[in-house]
Amino acid sequence: MKLVKYFLQKKAITTLLLILVLAGGLFSYIKMGKLEDAPFTIKQALVLTPYPGASPSEVQSQVTDILEESIQSLGELYYLKTENRAGLSKITVYVKKETRADEMQQLWDKLRRKVNDVQSKLPAGAGTSVVNDDFGDVLGVFYGLTGDSHTYRELEDEAKSIKNELLKVKDVAKVEIYGVQTPTIDVLVSPSVMAQSGITTADITHAFEAQNKVVDAGGIDAGANRIRIESTGNFYSLDDIKNLTIVSHTGEHFRLADIARIEESYQTPPANMMRIDGSPAIGIAISTVPTGNVVDMARAVKERIDRLSASMSEGYELTSIYDQGYESDVANQGFILNLIISVLTVVAILLFFIGFRNGILIGSGLIFSIFATLIVMMACDIALQRMSLAAIIIAMGMLVDNAIVVSDSALINMERGMRKRVAIMRACSSTALPLLAATVIAILTFLPIYYSPHITGELLSSLVVVIGVSLMFSWVFALTQTPFFIQEFVRRPRPEELKDTLFDGKYYNHFRQALRWVLCHRMATVASLVVLLVLSAWSFKFIPKVFVPALDKQYFTIDMWLPEGTSINETDRQATRMADYIRNHEETTMVSTYIGRTPPRYYLSNVSFGPQSNYAQILVKCKTSKDSRALNAILQDSIRLKYPEPLIKVNKFELSPLTEAVIEARFLGPDPAVLDSLVEQAIGIMRSNPKVADARNEWGNMTLMIRPVFDPVKAGALGITKAQMMQSVKSISDGTAVGIYRDNEKKVPVLLKSAGTNITDNHSLGNFSVWNGKHSAPLSQVTENIETTWEFPQVRTYNRQLSMAAMCGVKQGHTMAEVHGEIRKEIEAMELPEGYTFFWDSQFKDQGEAMQAITKYFPLAFLMLVVILVALFGNFRDPVIILCVLPLSLIGVAVGMLLTGFDFGFFPIAGWLGLLGMIIKNVIVLLDEISMQRRNGISPYTAVIEATVSRTRPVLMAATTTILGMVPLLFDIAFGGMAATIIFGLTFATLLTLFVTPTLYAMFYKIKNR
């Protein structure tokens, strides 16, 4: 206690340190980073490899399998999922959840080396693999550029100009442009003209290469100078291309414009598209540097955007789609308001219990603890965000516990006639160790969450750190600042004000009578609590289970999948119709659509889909979050009735990444036909449940394919090779690349296309003329036949095994846990052929991993807790009493969940762990008081009664401040369940502390009733 005595004696240094804490906390709040949500690491990377012309199965066997074999040697690898489509391999690499964020970049470098090592083993025609290791980067400030009177090329030029300006803004890390349409130069030529002129595709390609190639012409020496010679003749305009001379194999010369029509166009089909309120758009997404403040960056970007908008050409318009800075500011302001309300509530309760001066005294300790915590948060780069601010509110009531115990003990000592300094020192010396042990134990209860390797553990890590730091500061200030303020501002009672008997009065006497009655009926009390505990455990089956809650935002998204094989233009048309329908609702302010693939990750929990032509996402922005919830509920059913053809998934914004389907039964094995049969059986089981929505096969529907069967004999007689045949066929719509046109920094492909063709089926395709420069012939004359067949448009694998999943959603009003529990037994009872396996994927797997991650370190935390308790009490009885009290807290938790209607999930579990720490703290101090009174010679029965009575006021104050301080969080969608858990659990736990703990103590120590 020398430290306490030092602070009491050295008033100047104590005052200076407290002023520095306040100043440092205020400075930290102003300067520290501000985010919307706690950051977490997306431990995934994408490996994309093009293989033009290959079927999904060829992509899987010839490209994906080779890459996977190399990647699987990564020691940190968790599992691989692949999606193989015609001409594209997409491998998603999932690394072990234990991998720390600071190790990720080194890991991605290893992955890139593994991928590069096998590039030479890929088949001819396969492109270079691209490792997308910034898959999880958040570009949280998202604008859209529209211009109805401007072309895509003009939109792109304007977007690039804006990008260059935004990169100059402070704290901007990266600017990504989305929805750019690839420009092309189309050379439209008739196959008959090609045949008549004797010109081949190779002739045109050779002419482009010879004419447009940049060649070093060297220079000449002119005296002391050297003059560089620059060649001319490169393509700078369409006229240059039109005047290109083509030489046929017979030596004839042709001007390209004489045999073809040359025009500017865009790649068909487009890879992706974007619209804002129906208008074609290009997205501009901006990210913040890791150490930057997203609020300040977003504000600076908006100022620059406003200036650019004023100077842009007529017709252009920049629209804010998502502003993480604004959202962070709103979220922070909301939590700061809740924090202020909580502080005022806590102080008001203290004033009610112990008067104005003593209430201000203890409440000031709360302020010092918060400000000191802010200093540590800034030093540790913990930003102000949803989790860290919630942690301060959750810890609010606990922060005054230590000060309440110390000040209450000091005040009682003074009322017993002790001198002020002696009373303070006695209070500190008698409570310091129990309070330290209780504080450490309260922090230990959160240990399993902090060390959880799952994404939820990373999400809540800042919450655990802030609670732990603030609780330790509350203990430090309870033994320094609180005694100092008592010494300086609390008047010692005069002799005539001293009471003969402490803890006397009507309420204290009523409590004594109730406590004596409980002790007399101790067996009945314990038995009734056991019954209540069993009933509470049973009642949890009626509480909805939702692992991670949704967020209260004015946004929501809609994912739409049309049947596989749908063209991207048809997907665009359907998505535009749907967006128009949504925009007509009065709740809507803006609707943006993204066709072909999801937009850049503007929000951390966004999930990525595509590239696929049948997919679109619609982002809906409403006037308020209340309007968003209302419209989301309306569209859940109505939009499916209005648009029955596509698969539609209406989503809310959540804290963890969404999945493609809520429930996935995944089958693995070697034969796609067998997998299809198993999946169809599982889908039938899903569809038989009325609570299931959108049961479907992960691979989608089979699609029609036309296959010209090349005849080498027929084709050989005409001198037409297979490559020439397929080049001719590709020219029908997509176009065959024959050269590059350099438009400033852009390389614009020049595509040869067949003019005047209208081919829609295999019959008209058979009449299409293919050529080799010498001869042309209908396709039917160089093939055995042109067959029509069906194929799966994608082939998926899981850890190098063919994988197919039966997927489904859940109808509104039901939960994944509820529906999964009803279909699980029947699907698991399916008989699997030899060599085939099954497991539950998606949310069930993710939630199971999260719970395993929490329980992984629970034994360690429990062991440390027991060691501290045994060391503190020096026996086993008192720790066992505490451990018997803890499970009873579930009674209050169950009542709270049932009354409030909140879902039970990860956050309420975290709240319950924190609740255990609060209970343990109160019980420790009570048991320590009983032991102290018994050591002072008071009879056991009297010691139990009087120690409990003496702890009534501080226990009620601590519980009430925590409970009412948590009330603002009840109205937060994300933290409401956690708040309800703590509020109702602690309310019941207070009764446990004041009645059940003395009862158990009397039973364990065999104390007889008087």
Side-chain angles (χ1 to χ4, degrees):
M1 292 294 103
K2 292 182 179 179
L3 183 64
V4 177
K5 188 175 181 180
Y6 177 83
F7 278 104
L8 291 176
Q9 293 175 341
K10 305 296 183 179
K11 297 182 182 180
I13 188 65
T14 304
T15 303
L16 176 62
L17 289 175
L18 293 176
I19 291 173
L20 289 176
V21 168
L22 294 178
L26 184 61
F27 175 81
S28 298
Y29 173 73
I30 295 171
K31 293 293 183 180
M32 68 196 310
K34 296 176 179 64
L35 298 172
E36 182 180 3
D37 281 302
F40 57 87
T41 308
I42 304 291
K43 297 177 182 178
Q44 303 170 22
L46 293 179
V47 181
L48 299 171
T49 310
Y51 187 17
S55 67
S57 59
E58 289 173 333
V59 169
Q60 187 267 323
S61 61
Q62 298 177 28
V63 174
T64 302
D65 197 51
I66 293 171
L67 291 168
E68 284 184 298
E69 185 177 356
S70 179
I71 295 171
Q72 73 175 8
S73 62
L74 276 174
E76 299 86 350
L77 179 67
Y78 183 24
Y79 62 91
L80 296 168
K81 273 187 175 181
T82 72
E83 182 181 338
N84 304 279
R85 293 181 174 271
L88 180 66
S89 164
K90 178 181 176 182
I91 304 174
T92 306
V93 182
Y94 296 81
V95 299
K96 291 177 181 177
K97 300 185 184 297
E98 293 82 3
T99 309
R100 298 198 310 268
D102 57 358
E103 298 174 340
M104 296 303 295
Q105 192 54 55
Q106 184 179 1
L107 174 58
W108 297 145
D109 290 339
K110 288 170 63 177
L111 172 64
R112 191 172 282 105
R113 288 195 296 271
K114 296 287 185 184
V115 171
N116 289 338
D117 287 346
V118 294
Q119 290 301 295
S120 60
K121 297 181 181 180
L122 299 182
T128 304
S129 300
V130 176
V131 178
N132 183 1
D133 60 349
D134 58 358
F135 178 67
D137 287 359
V138 178
L139 296 100
V141 180
F142 192 24
Y143 283 84
L145 176 67
T146 56
D148 290 335
S149 59
H150 295 278
T151 65
Y152 268 116
R153 194 167 300 191
E154 291 170 333
L155 282 173
E156 181 185 357
D157 291 339
E158 189 66 30
K160 287 184 176 179
S161 175
I162 294 169
K163 173 182 177 178
N164 293 334
E165 287 297 316
L166 294 180
L167 286 171
K168 302 173 185 175
V169 175
K170 185 177 182 293
D171 286 344
V172 168
K174 183 171 67 173
V175 179
E176 185 175 314
I177 298 178
Y178 172 91
V180 171
Q181 300 303 301
T182 303
T184 62
I185 303 296
D186 289 352
V187 178
L188 302 166
V189 60
S190 169
S192 60
V193 172
M194 292 275 286
Q196 291 170 6
S197 62
I199 292 175
T200 65
T201 306
D203 294 332
I204 299 176
T205 303
H206 177 73
F208 267 92
E209 288 179 352
Q211 180 78 14
N212 204 39
K213 186 177 181 180
V214 177
V215 180
D216 182 12
I220 60 172
D221 293 325
N225 298 322
R226 180 167 175 81
I227 304 173
R228 188 176 70 86
I229 300 174
E230 182 180 71
S231 62
T232 62
N234 296 335
F235 299 136
Y236 297 104
S237 67
L238 281 183
D239 288 337
D240 293 336
I241 297 176
K242 290 176 182 179
N243 293 325
L244 176 66
T245 299
I246 311 295
V247 181
S248 71
H249 69 284
T250 60
E252 294 182 82
H253 291 66
F254 297 90
R255 180 171 168 267
L256 185 59
D258 293 336
I259 59 171
R261 187 171 76 250
I262 296 95
E263 56 187 38
E264 292 184 280
S265 184
Y266 297 99
Q267 176 182 300
T268 56
N272 57 78
M273 294 183 283
M274 173 179 170
R275 295 184 184 275
I276 297 177
D277 290 335
S279 300
I282 286 181
I284 304 171
I286 307 110
S287 67
T288 318
V289 295
T291 57
N293 185 321
V294 70
V295 175
D296 294 341
M297 186 277 285
R299 191 176 294 121
V301 165
K302 186 178 185 306
E303 292 174 359
R304 184 65 61 92
I305 290 285
D306 290 341
R307 291 202 300 270
L308 291 172
S309 298
S311 60
M312 280 193 303
S313 303
E314 186 178 352
Y316 291 113
E317 183 179 358
L318 273 168
T319 305
S320 176
I321 298 173
Y322 190 89
D323 188 342
Q324 189 188 38
Y326 173 78
E327 296 294 319
S328 302
D329 203 24
V330 169
N332 274 269
Q333 287 178 10
F335 266 99
I336 292 297
L337 179 62
N338 287 341
L339 181 60
I340 293 172
I341 293 172
S342 297
V343 171
L344 294 177
T345 302
V346 169
V347 173
I349 294 165
L350 294 173
L351 298 180
F352 173 78
F353 272 101
I354 55 178
F356 180 81
R357 179 173 293 185
N358 292 335
I360 293 296
L361 171 110
I362 297 175
S364 63
L366 174 66
I367 303 299
F368 283 109
S369 296
I370 292 174
F371 275 55
T373 302
L374 291 175
I375 296 173
V376 174
M377 286 172 63
M378 183 177 177
C380 297
D381 289 330
I382 299 176
L384 283 176
Q385 28 81 359
R386 195 185 308 271
M387 294 299 168
S388 58
L389 286 167
I392 296 175
I393 297 175
I394 291 168
M396 190 71 61
M398 294 188 283
L399 294 182
V400 296
D401 281 7
N402 293 326
I404 286 173
V405 172
V406 172
S407 60
D408 187 73
S409 179
L411 293 174
I412 290 171
N413 288 341
M414 285 190 284
E415 288 177 358
R416 286 173 175 160
M418 292 184 189
R419 294 173 54 194
K420 183 186 288 188
R421 178 71 64 84
V422 175
I424 293 172
M425 295 298 296
R426 183 74 59 85
C428 292
S429 61
S430 62
T431 60
L433 189 58
L435 288 179
L436 176 61
T439 301
V440 171
I441 288 173
I443 296 171
L444 278 178
T445 56
F446 288 100
L447 184 70
I449 298 175
Y450 180 74
Y451 282 107
S452 167
H454 192 263
I455 192 173
T456 46
E458 192 174 358
L459 189 66
L460 288 176
S461 62
S462 60
L463 181 142
V464 177
V465 171
V466 172
I467 288 178
V469 170
S470 60
L471 288 180
M472 285 308 301
F473 273 125
S474 75
W475 180 80
V476 171
F477 285 114
L479 296 176
T480 53
Q481 176 261 333
T482 299
F484 179 72
F485 275 32
I486 292 174
Q487 174 183 272
E488 298 301 313
F489 304 112
V490 175
R491 182 178 62 83
R492 180 190 174 201
R494 297 186 180 92
E496 63 272 14
E497 295 174 340
L498 297 177
K499 298 178 181 178
D500 295 331
T501 306
L502 297 175
F503 311 113
D504 194 18
K506 181 174 64 174
Y507 296 110
Y508 280 119
N509 291 330
H510 284 323
F511 176 66
R512 283 189 178 90
Q513 292 174 7
L515 186 56
R516 290 191 183 103
W517 186 91
V518 169
L519 290 175
C520 287
H521 301 84
R522 61 187 70 173
M523 296 302 297
T525 300
V526 173
S528 62
L529 286 171
V530 171
V531 171
L532 282 175
L533 180 60
V534 172
L535 288 174
S536 299
W538 173 76
S539 70
F540 268 86
K541 67 185 295 186
F542 302 105
I543 300 173
K545 312 294 190 303
V546 176
F547 197 66
V548 178
L551 296 175
D552 192 24
K553 299 180 77 68
Q554 65 189 109
Y555 297 87
F556 65 91
T557 61
I558 298 175
D559 291 314
M560 180 191 82
W561 289 269
L562 284 161
E564 291 283 354
T566 304
S567 72
I568 194 169
N569 293 317
E570 175 61 17
T571 305
D572 178 36
R573 188 183 70 82
Q574 294 264 26
T576 301
R577 284 178 54 212
M578 198 178 296
D580 291 340
Y581 166 71
I582 297 169
R583 193 164 50 251
N584 288 332
H585 288 76
E586 61 180 3
E587 297 91 345
T588 307
T589 60
M590 185 186 68
V591 179
S592 53
T593 57
Y594 310 89
I595 300 93
R597 68 178 176 92
T598 44
R601 193 185 294 270
Y602 56 86
Y603 182 71
L604 185 57
S605 294
N606 280 7
V607 67
S608 175
F609 293 119
Q612 54 191 104
S613 62
N614 64 320
Y615 171 78
Q617 184 179 88
I618 300 174
L619 174 63
V620 183
K621 181 180 181 180
C622 297
K623 296 174 183 175
T624 64
S625 57
K626 182 179 179 181
D627 289 335
S628 175
R629 292 195 301 274
L631 183 57
N632 186 292
I634 291 170
L635 294 177
Q636 288 286 349
D637 296 320
S638 66
I639 199 163
R640 290 185 175 90
L641 296 174
K642 188 169 181 64
Y643 302 98
E645 182 182 3
L647 168 67
I648 300 172
K649 190 164 171 271
V650 183
N651 312 298
K652 297 176 181 177
F653 275 54
E654 295 187 1
L655 282 170
S656 63
L658 295 171
T659 52
E660 187 172 351
V662 177
I663 299 173
E664 292 183 14
R666 184 166 299 282
F667 297 86
L668 297 92
D671 189 344
V674 176
L675 291 175
D676 188 39
S677 174
L678 292 171
V679 166
E680 286 304 313
Q681 188 179 342
I683 289 174
I685 295 170
M686 290 175 173
R687 285 177 177 161
S688 65
N689 189 301
K691 301 172 185 176
V692 164
D694 304 323
R696 61 197 186 274
N697 189 325
E698 179 188 35
W699 286 23
N701 56 282
M702 298 190 78
T703 56
L704 196 63
M705 178 180 65
I706 297 176
R707 179 184 290 147
V709 182
F710 181 71
D711 188 327
V713 177
K714 292 181 181 178
L718 296 171
I720 297 175
T721 65
K722 179 185 175 182
Q724 290 169 337
M725 180 187 80
M726 299 314 293
Q727 281 182 344
S728 300
V729 171
K730 188 175 182 182
S731 70
I732 294 172
S733 176
D734 295 359
T736 301
V738 293
I740 293 293
Y741 167 60
R742 291 184 179 85
D743 184 3
N744 295 323
E745 81 281 3
K746 287 184 292 189
K747 292 182 178 180
V748 180
V750 181
L751 303 179
L752 181 69
K753 293 186 176 183
S754 296
T757 57
N758 183 25
I759 296 172
T760 57
D761 54 24
N762 55 347
H763 177 71
S764 55
L765 180 62
N767 294 327
F768 175 73
S769 294
V770 296
W771 66 90
N772 69 347
K774 295 181 181 179
H775 306 285
S776 68
L779 181 63
S780 58
Q781 292 185 12
V782 295
T783 56
E784 294 180 12
N785 65 306
I786 302 174
E787 60 185 24
T788 303
T789 186
W790 295 88
E791 69 168 352
F792 277 112
Q794 58 176 316
V795 173
R796 298 204 185 197
T797 67
Y798 182 94
N799 276 348
R800 303 190 66 194
Q801 290 190 77
L802 285 180
S803 165
M804 190 181 292
M807 311 168 76
C808 70
V810 174
K811 289 184 178 177
Q812 192 174 9
H814 304 283
T815 65
M816 184 281 292
E818 175 188 359
V819 176
H820 181 264
E822 295 177 6
I823 65 174
R824 177 178 184 176
K825 189 174 181 181
E826 192 172 355
I827 291 180
E828 289 180 350
M830 289 172 52
E831 187 175 346
L832 300 178
E834 187 177 350
Y836 290 81
T837 56
F838 158 85
F839 69 92
W840 292 104
D841 205 350
S842 191
Q843 288 190 13
F844 180 81
K845 175 174 176 283
D846 192 53
Q847 293 179 15
E849 290 174 346
M851 292 308 300
Q852 288 176 6
I854 291 179
T855 56
K856 180 177 180 180
Y857 289 97
F858 194 82
L860 175 61
F862 182 77
L863 180 62
M864 294 172 66
L865 183 151
V866 171
V867 169
I868 292 173
L869 289 177
V870 173
L872 177 66
F873 291 105
N875 61 58
F876 291 103
R877 292 184 187 181
D878 289 352
V880 171
I881 291 171
I882 294 173
L883 297 179
C884 288
V885 170
L886 295 182
L888 298 175
S889 62
L890 287 173
I891 300 172
V893 174
V895 172
M897 292 287 102
L898 289 169
L899 289 179
T900 58
F902 283 110
D903 303 323
F904 190 77
F906 188 82
F907 280 22
I909 290 172
W912 178 66
L913 291 176
L915 173 65
L916 296 181
M918 302 176 201
I919 296 171
I920 291 171
K921 175 180 283 192
N922 285 332
V923 176
I924 283 176
V925 178
L926 173 56
L927 293 177
D928 184 71
E929 182 68 22
I930 295 173
S931 300
M932 186 183 300
Q933 293 204 17
R934 290 187 66 179
R935 287 196 299 270
N936 291 335
I938 300 174
S939 66
Y941 183 80
T942 303
V944 170
I945 296 291
E946 294 306 318
T948 306
V949 170
S950 70
R951 289 295 304 150
T952 302
R953 184 173 68 172
V955 166
L956 288 177
M957 276 197 296
T960 309
T961 52
T962 302
I963 291 166
L964 295 183
M966 289 291 296
V967 167
L969 278 186
L970 267 178
F971 304 98
D972 185 274
I973 290 179
F975 292 98
M978 179 186 283
T981 299
I982 294 175
I983 289 171
F984 287 89
L986 188 57
T987 301
F988 188 79
T990 304
L991 298 176
L992 295 178
T993 303
L994 297 178
F995 288 101
V996 179
T997 302
T999 303
L1000 291 174
Y1001 188 91
M1003 290 179 63
F1004 274 82
Y1005 283 91
K1006 298 178 181 179
I1007 297 174
K1008 295 181 180 180
N1009 296 319
R1010 283 186 177 178

